[in-house]
């Protein structure tokens, strides 16, 4: 792999990259003007990256998505990136590719650099086989991705990510019962939930009465502020945002 082209990766800023068309196998498709529809409008979760024969599993947050209009957004595992995609003949080119420069816990920086280097390594042979997408460099390094459907509001276990409850707080909206139930981080909770037009009217919370760590009780207080009122909700693929009437915001992610 040509590391001289990648000096900008110290700041995790991606170089422009082009994706080239490879040979087409039975049951697979290659990216080109006629095949763009099989790649665009899809949330491609990164499964793993293989470089020099060594495979590295990707964090669940790593993904790539190309909108129908050519706008690209994605995540290297921690840092977000964006670009413009232009399809021509049997290639797709990602122009003006840039990323954020955050340091995140739980995501190795070397994985992000490996993924970024691979995506930036010139023309990538691209194969689509059902729900799988493979990007392969001229040197044989590859990024494996899988199509991932958006999570529905109802029936999904939403794990609260902010405020932080160490993964212990979660909510599930039940379509049959018209209720929401789960955990506030320490105590269990249940209430009526009426969903309509981008909002959820939550009834009075029925909870258990345990005392827990101070930080968890603080999180519970924030979550309880959602009840006995109407909250606005928004879903971005597998991320849920709940906003209370006083502007308090709670973020959650669909459990795997």
């Amino acid at each position: 792999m040509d590391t001289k082209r990648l000096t900008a990766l110290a700041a995790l800023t991606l170089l422009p990259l082009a994706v080239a068309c490879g040979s087409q196998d039975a049951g697979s498709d290659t990216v080109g003007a006629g095949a763009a529809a099989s790649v665009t409008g899809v949330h491609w979760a990164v499964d793993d990256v293989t470089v020099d024969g060594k495979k590295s599993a990707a964090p669940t947050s790593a993904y790539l998505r190309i909108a129908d209009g050519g706008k690209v957004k994605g995540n290297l595992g921690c840092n977000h990136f964006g670009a413009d995609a232009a399809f021509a003949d049997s290639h797709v080119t990602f122009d003006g590719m840039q990323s954020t420069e955050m340091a995140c816990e739980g995501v190795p920086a070397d994985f992000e650099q490996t993924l970024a280097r691979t995506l930036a390594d010139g023309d990538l042979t691209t194969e689509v086989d059902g729900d799988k997408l493979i990007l392969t460099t001229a040197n044989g390094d590859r990024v494996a991705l899988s199509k991932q459907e958006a999570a529905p509001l109802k029936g999904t276990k939403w794990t609260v990510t902010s405020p932080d409850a160490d993964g212990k707080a979660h909510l599930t909206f039940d379509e049959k019962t018209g209720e929401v139930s789960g955990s506030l981080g320490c105590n269990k909770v249940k209430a009526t939930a009426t969903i309509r037009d981008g909002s959820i009217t939550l009834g009075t919370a029925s909870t258990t009465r345990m005392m827990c760590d101070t930080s968890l009780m603080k999180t519970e207080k924030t979550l309880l502020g959602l009840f006995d009122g109407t909250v606005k909700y928004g879903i971005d693929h597998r991320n849920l945002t709940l906003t209370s009437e006083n502007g308090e915001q709670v973020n959650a992610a669909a459990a795997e």
Side-chain angles (χ1 to χ4, degrees):
M1 184 179 295
D2 186 359
T3 57
K4 292 182 180 179
R5 300 169 52 207
L6 303 170
T7 55
L9 284 174
L12 282 177
T13 299
L14 299 185
L15 300 173
L17 71 99
V19 179
C21 174
S23 59
Q24 185 168 340
D25 299 324
S28 67
D29 203 353
T30 49
V31 175
S38 65
V39 176
T40 58
V42 176
H43 184 104
W44 294 105
V46 180
D47 297 327
D48 53 67
V49 180
T50 302
V51 173
D52 297 331
K54 180 182 178 181
K55 181 185 290 188
S56 300
T60 57
S61 53
Y63 77 91
L64 170 69
R65 183 181 181 91
I66 308 172
D68 292 338
K71 289 292 182 181
V72 181
K73 68 176 183 177
N75 191 292
L76 297 170
C78 166
N79 283 279
H80 296 278
F81 68 88
D84 293 311
F87 291 91
D89 298 325
S90 58
H91 295 76
V92 57
T93 302
F94 294 82
D95 293 320
M97 219 164 178
Q98 294 183 329
S99 77
T100 56
E101 300 175 20
M102 300 182 296
C104 303
E105 294 183 6
V107 178
D110 58 351
F111 175 85
E112 291 201 298
Q113 293 173 9
T114 297
L115 176 57
R117 288 191 184 104
T118 307
L119 291 175
D121 196 21
D123 290 346
L124 306 177
T125 300
T126 306
E127 296 181 29
V128 178
D129 187 0
D131 290 344
K132 300 294 183 180
L133 170 63
I134 302 293
L135 305 176
T136 307
T137 71
N139 294 329
D141 297 333
R142 51 189 270 168
V143 180
L145 309 95
S146 296
K147 183 184 296 185
Q148 189 180 63
E149 300 297 334
L153 174 65
K154 300 173 183 177
T156 298
K157 180 180 178 180
W158 295 103
T159 300
V160 175
T161 56
S162 175
D164 183 24
D166 197 26
K168 297 177 180 179
H170 57 85
L171 298 170
T172 301
F173 296 90
D174 192 312
E175 184 173 14
K176 292 183 179 179
T177 64
E179 293 180 330
V180 60
S181 61
S183 170
L184 299 173
C186 172
N187 286 283
K188 294 180 180 180
V189 65
K190 179 181 287 188
T192 59
T194 303
I195 303 168
R196 62 167 68 89
D197 299 328
S199 66
I200 308 171
T201 300
L202 297 172
T204 302
S206 173
T207 70
T208 53
R209 303 276 182 186
M210 295 186 294
M211 293 298 296
C212 301
D213 180 84
T214 302
S215 61
L216 285 179
M217 297 307 292
K218 183 178 179 180
T219 297
E220 291 206 356
K221 183 178 180 180
T222 299
L223 295 177
L224 282 172
L226 299 174
F227 294 84
D228 271 330
T230 298
V231 299
K232 294 180 180 179
Y233 77 90
I235 296 177
D236 181 8
H237 193 63
R238 299 182 66 81
N239 296 292
L240 171 68
T241 300
L242 301 173
T243 306
S244 67
E245 295 171 332
N246 65 2
E248 286 277 1
Q249 194 169 88
V250 170
N251 299 306
E256 295 298 321

